[in-house]
Amino acid sequence: MEQLSPRALNRATLARQLLLDRADLPAITAIERLAGLQAQAPDSSYVGLWSRLRDFQVDELAKPLAAREAVRMTLMRGTVHLVTAADGLALWPTLKPVVERGFLGHYSREVAGLDLAAVAEAGRALIAERPRTRAEIRAALAPRWPDADQPTLGYAVNSLLPLAHVTPRGLWGQTGPAAFALLEDWVGEPITDGVSLDDLVLRYLGAFGPATVRDAQVWSGLTRLKEVFERLRARLITFTDVEGKELFDLPGAPRPDPETPAPPRFLPEYDNVLLSHADRVRVIPDGRRVPLPPGNGGRRGTLLVDGEFLAIWAIKGATLTIESREPLQDQDSIAEEGARLLEFVVPDSEHDIRFGIGG
């Protein structure tokens, strides 16, 4: 069985994630191909798509969000993702157990003795009237459950129902409270029967492969996927990594030469390319933590140099600061890409780029 080095895995994943060469794709098509983008910070996906799509402009995402063709909602790993409306409707039934399990694991003590089904139905009726913030949800439900932990009531509704984060929050340059609507009402279509586990694994491999069974489980939050991979084995090809772990992949998926150049790429905070494998050595060779800074996103993140996470970046005013643990190679190319990032984030300003040691 052919062995793939971390560098070979790096180049394969970068290619799937559109980070070797920017793609000429509509944003909505890219979101689907990428199997969603991590989107806790509402503006982060704009930078994520800017790094992946040629000549990307803000309206290419803002318009589908405003038209409800794309949504931010809780899905993989129980975290907020940007997905197409069609994917949101299809993925929710399959990933609902992941979201519920994460909630129950975190709030097990607070929900003891609480009728969660009744809480969810009361929340559904409330949100069906109009979008509500989490604070509004818990305030409305508290009189019915006066002895319950009030924050838990809000999180229960968020975790037990398919909810879309409503605009204007998530539209570049606009602000608004984190408010939620029922997904079906927001996009005007019903929840589907769900994506099969087979199809979910194939989607994952297309966006992040080659990968192990455990990698797919970490990305999705689902467990016991080994039988799914075994069922699909005849349709897949296999490799090993340098530690001998079995890797699965789609036969026709790109696996570029490991020596393929990887240009510097500015990623938003908590980008999926850094989070979607159990073994992250292909993109984080030193095992550093992936930061999730506060704020709306779009002005902080991580920097890939030769395909590896080696620095963090932040924009304050019109100044881009890049901090790394060691001096970075090829700072001219990084600065050129940084100048393009500044023009995207803060156009029509006098820009400055600074390198420092830290991070």
Side-chain angles (χ1 to χ4, degrees):
M1 196 178 298
E2 182 183 352
Q3 184 182 93
L4 298 179
S5 67
R7 188 176 178 90
L9 294 173
N10 174 277
R11 295 310 193 253
T13 301
L14 293 182
R16 320 286 171 92
Q17 285 289 300
L18 312 180
L19 291 168
L20 278 184
D21 295 299
R22 283 183 166 92
D24 290 310
L25 292 173
I28 201 77
T29 303
I31 293 166
E32 180 181 22
R33 182 175 297 186
L34 296 166
L37 285 88
Q38 190 93 11
Q40 268 97 328
D43 286 349
S44 63
S45 298
Y46 291 87
V47 173
L49 290 171
W50 173 84
S51 287
R52 291 169 162 93
L53 301 180
R54 190 166 289 112
D55 301 322
F56 173 76
Q57 301 296 318
V58 163
D59 279 353
E60 294 179 55
L61 175 56
K63 286 182 177 179
L65 275 170
R68 308 182 186 185
E69 298 168 0
V71 294
R72 293 173 56 241
M73 61 180 294
T74 303
L75 286 169
M76 284 75 75
R77 302 186 296 282
T79 57
V80 180
H81 275 71
L82 171 72
V83 294
T84 65
D87 270 350
L89 294 165
L91 288 169
W92 170 256
T94 305
L95 294 169
K96 179 183 178 183
V98 173
V99 181
E100 290 183 351
R101 186 176 69 243
F103 165 71
L104 293 173
H106 192 78
Y107 293 96
S108 58
R109 182 178 300 176
E110 289 85 351
V111 302
L114 193 61
D115 186 344
L116 290 176
V119 171
E121 284 311 303
R124 179 183 292 276
L126 188 67
I127 298 171
E129 297 174 357
R130 63 173 175 84
R132 308 270 185 167
T133 66
R134 193 175 288 120
E136 290 174 328
I137 294 168
R138 67 176 184 246
L141 298 184
R144 182 170 172 183
W145 287 278
D147 297 327
D149 178 73
Q150 290 194 17
T152 301
L153 292 174
Y155 284 111
V157 172
N158 272 140
S159 302
L160 301 174
L161 297 176
L163 301 181
H165 294 235
V166 305
T167 54
R169 187 174 175 84
L171 301 181
W172 184 266
Q174 298 192 40
T175 59
F180 308 91
L182 294 169
L183 179 64
E184 307 101 309
D185 293 346
W186 185 249
V187 304
E189 296 287 342
I191 299 289
T192 73
D193 293 335
V195 174
S196 73
L197 293 180
D198 290 26
D199 286 342
L200 189 67
V201 165
L202 295 173
R203 288 279 302 274
Y204 169 71
L205 291 175
F208 296 98
T212 65
V213 173
R214 188 159 175 258
D215 288 332
Q217 293 179 162
V218 165
W219 167 76
S220 64
L222 293 164
T223 58
R224 292 187 266 188
L225 291 182
K226 182 175 176 57
E227 62 187 52
V228 179
F229 278 83
E230 290 300 330
R231 189 163 59 241
L232 291 170
R233 183 178 288 275
R235 298 171 57 184
L236 303 175
I237 58 175
T238 56
F239 305 92
T240 63
D241 66 11
V242 294
E243 295 181 350
K245 295 192 291 289
E246 187 174 30
L247 300 160
F248 294 85
D249 205 5
L250 306 179
R255 286 176 293 278
D257 187 304
E259 299 309 311
T260 302
R265 289 288 186 252
F266 287 87
L267 302 178
E269 54 269 80
Y270 236 50
D271 192 276
N272 255 350
V273 77
L274 303 174
L275 301 171
S276 299
H277 300 88
D279 183 355
R280 301 175 180 176
V281 69
R282 71 180 71 189
V283 285
I284 314 179
D286 59 3
R288 70 176 66 191
R289 182 181 63 86
V290 180
L292 180 57
N296 283 346
R299 289 179 175 262
R300 298 183 184 184
T302 54
L303 172 64
L304 298 183
V305 179
D306 194 25
E308 298 178 348
F309 168 24
L310 294 183
I312 58 175
W313 62 268
I315 294 174
K316 186 174 183 179
T319 298
L320 169 64
T321 301
I322 301 164
E323 291 191 349
S324 56
R325 293 176 178 175
E326 303 290 340
L328 296 172
Q329 301 295 317
D330 199 13
Q331 291 191 8
D332 288 345
S333 294
I334 296 170
E336 288 176 8
E337 183 74 354
R340 289 189 282 269
L341 174 66
L342 282 166
E343 187 58 37
F344 175 74
V345 176
V346 281
D348 306 320
S349 300
E350 188 172 340
H351 300 143
D352 186 25
I353 299 176
R354 302 175 184 177
F355 291 86
I357 301 300

